[in-house]
């Protein structure tokens, strides 16, 4: 066998081993870990996932978390931020308050929304109404996302109880909450009790497919009816796992990221006469660098299935 043929044969075997990394079938589940990653807002409220239930983020308006803003205040309104109570009207004075969430201005929400299936959950326990001889005190609430009301309630002959709604959030979604009340009845003011606004993503990323490319010579192996790719010096191969949504490594730090950014592939024995004999060859990460570990990417090759590394290219030199 000629030296040139030996060289191509060796590289063909290397590619066969590399392709063995690809699952024979895709079950659609990327098993990142037994539990989902814990994600919280600055006030400690959880983003909901399969391991942690979503918490009410109403307090974020009071503490001015980025993306959460009270856009209309009223001197005749009072609040219990922890309970989600808005007391609209004092001493028979009407009160109107308004709140806004801009998803693009909150990193957590924006990253969630990139998945295409992150949700907002909203609702309330009671929309208050008071009445007496020849008088009533009404309340109303609207919750709007991207120009569409998903809650639009007003008291009529009675109070409103236990209303809820949900909607998909997008990276540029804007959520608006407006509450109005006619005042108190010399006791408890009108308005809403037990209001909540939660966010969750209950779908884990899945592997849609993989992409394998190269700029070497390609031929059909008629014995097994499969195409083969041969690569030589200065040619390359690229292998990517394509996820259903952007993902990133959650526990890789800049100072200890070599194992994530460069993966050992093979080494030829020094005396074989093959290319780069005695030199380690790598799969080089082309999606991440040490400075972009916090970014989200959709193409990954997991060498450590808990980390979803994106080591996607190897060049033979």
């Amino acid at each position: 066998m000629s030296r040139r043929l030996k060289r191509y044969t060796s590289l063909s075997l290397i590619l066969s081993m590399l392709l063995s990394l690809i699952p024979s079938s895709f079950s659609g589940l990327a098993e990142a870990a037994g539990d989902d990653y814990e994600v919280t807002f600055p006030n400690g409220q959880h983003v909901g996932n399969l391991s942690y239930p979503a918490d009410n983020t109403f307090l974020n308006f009071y503490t001015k978390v980025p993306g959460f803003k009270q856009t209309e205040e009223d001197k005749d309104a009072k609040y219990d931020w922890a309970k989600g109570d808005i007391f609209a009207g004092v001493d028979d004075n009407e009160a109107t308050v308004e709140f806004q969430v801009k998803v693009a201005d909150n990193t957590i929400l924006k990253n969630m929304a990139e998945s295409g299936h992150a949700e907002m959950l909203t609702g309330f326990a009671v929309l208050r109404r008071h009445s007496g001889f020849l008088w009533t005190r009404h309340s109303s609430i609207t919750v709007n996302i991207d120009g569409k009301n998903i809650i639009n309630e007003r008291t009529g002959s009675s109070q409103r109880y236990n209303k809820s709604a949900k909607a998909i959030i997008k990276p540029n979604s804007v959520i608006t909450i407006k509450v109005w009340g006619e005042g108190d009845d010399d006791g408890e003011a009108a308005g809403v009790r037990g209001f909540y606004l939660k966010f969750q993503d209950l779908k884990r990323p899945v592997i849609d497919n993989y992409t394998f490319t190269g700029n070497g010579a390609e031929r059909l192996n008629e014995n097994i009816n499969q195409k083969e790719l041969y690569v030589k010096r200065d040619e390359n191969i690229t292998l990517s796992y394509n996820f259903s949504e952007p993902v990133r490594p959650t526990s890789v730090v800049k100072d200890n990221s070599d194992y994530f950014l460069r993966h050992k592939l093979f080494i030829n024995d020094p005396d074989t006469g093959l290319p780069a004999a005695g030199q380690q060859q790598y799969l080089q990460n082309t999606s991440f660098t040490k400075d972009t570990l916090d970014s989200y990417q959709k193409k990954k090759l997991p060498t450590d299935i808990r980390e979803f590394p994106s080591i996607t290219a190897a060049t033979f030199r």
Side-chain angles (χ1 to χ4, degrees), residues 71-128:
T71 54
E72 183 175 352
E73 299 182 7
D74 196 306
K75 64 180 180 60
D76 293 312
K78 296 181 179 180
Y79 314 89
D80 186 325
W81 298 100
K83 293 181 178 179
D85 295 345
I86 302 173
F87 304 92
V90 177
D91 297 330
D92 293 333
N93 296 321
E94 293 186 10
T96 301
V97 294
E98 190 168 318
F99 308 86
Q100 187 179 81
V101 178
K102 289 187 175 181
V103 171
D105 292 344
N106 185 276
T107 302
I108 291 175
L109 294 181
K110 186 176 184 297
N111 289 336
M112 284 178 60
E114 295 286 352
S115 72
H117 45 69
E119 299 175 311
M120 59 167 285
L121 309 175
T122 188
F124 60 84
V126 184
L127 187 63
R128 298 303 301 263

Side-chain angles (χ1 to χ4, degrees), residues 260-272:
F260 174 77
L261 299 174
R262 194 171 65 162
H263 178 68
K264 291 181 179 180
L265 179 60
F266 74 94
I267 184 170
N268 284 324
D269 292 334
D271 298 327
T272 59

Side-chain angles (χ1 to χ4, degrees), residues 23-206:
S24 59
S25 63
F26 283 93
S27 63
L29 176 63
E31 295 189 13
D35 293 327
D36 284 350
Y37 191 65
E38 183 179 14
V39 180
T40 60
F41 291 99
N43 294 313
Q45 312 103 318
H46 283 95
V47 171
N49 55 33
L50 294 179
S51 300
Y52 299 91
D55 295 324
N56 191 0
T57 63
F58 184 59
L59 181 62
N60 288 357
F61 295 109
Y62 176 69
T63 60
K64 295 180 172 57
V65 169
F68 292 76
K69 184 179 181 180
Q70 184 169 358
T71 54
E72 183 175 352
E73 299 182 7
D74 196 306
K75 64 180 180 60
D76 293 312
K78 296 181 179 180
Y79 314 89
D80 186 325
W81 298 100
K83 293 181 178 179
D85 295 345
I86 302 173
F87 304 92
V90 177
D91 297 330
D92 293 333
N93 296 321
E94 293 186 10
T96 301
V97 294
E98 190 168 318
F99 308 86
Q100 187 179 81
V101 178
K102 289 187 175 181
V103 171
D105 292 344
N106 185 276
T107 302
I108 291 175
L109 294 181
K110 186 176 184 297
N111 289 336
M112 284 178 60
E114 295 286 352
S115 72
H117 45 69
E119 299 175 311
M120 59 167 285
L121 309 175
T122 188
F124 60 84
V126 184
L127 187 63
R128 298 303 301 263
R129 173 189 182 274
H130 304 295
S131 64
F133 182 68
L134 299 179
W135 63 269
T136 58
R137 297 291 182 266
H138 288 287
S139 304
S140 68
I141 181 173
T142 60
V143 180
N144 182 290
I145 178 170
D146 299 333
K148 180 182 179 181
N149 287 338
I150 58 174
I151 288 181
N152 187 13
E153 295 290 336
R154 189 183 192 282
T155 56
S157 59
S158 63
Q159 300 186 130
R160 296 285 189 266
Y161 295 94
N162 300 319
K163 299 296 182 180
S164 63
K166 64 180 179 180
I168 299 295
I169 61 172
K170 300 175 183 178
N172 291 309
S173 285
V174 177
I175 302 164
T176 303
I177 302 105
K178 187 172 185 178
V179 176
W180 166 84
E182 281 192 301
D184 61 31
D185 63 344
D186 297 325
E188 186 177 354
V192 68
R193 307 294 185 269
F195 173 78
Y196 62 88
L197 179 63
K198 304 177 181 182
F199 298 91
Q200 67 179 21
D201 187 342
L202 302 183
K203 295 183 179 179
R204 290 172 174 167
V206 298

Side-chain angles (χ1 to χ4, degrees), residues 11 15 18 211-218 229-240 265-266 281-284 286 312-317:
L11 293 177
L15 287 177
L18 177 62
T211 304
F212 178 76
T213 60
N215 60 359
E218 188 175 317
L229 178 66
Y230 294 83
V231 292
K232 61 181 184 296
R233 182 183 178 90
D234 293 326
E235 294 179 340
N236 66 75
I237 57 174
T238 300
L239 175 63
S240 301
L265 179 60
F266 74 94
Q281 300 297 306
Y282 295 88
L283 281 173
Q284 181 66 43
T286 60
T312 57
T315 301
F316 297 89
R317 302 190 183 282

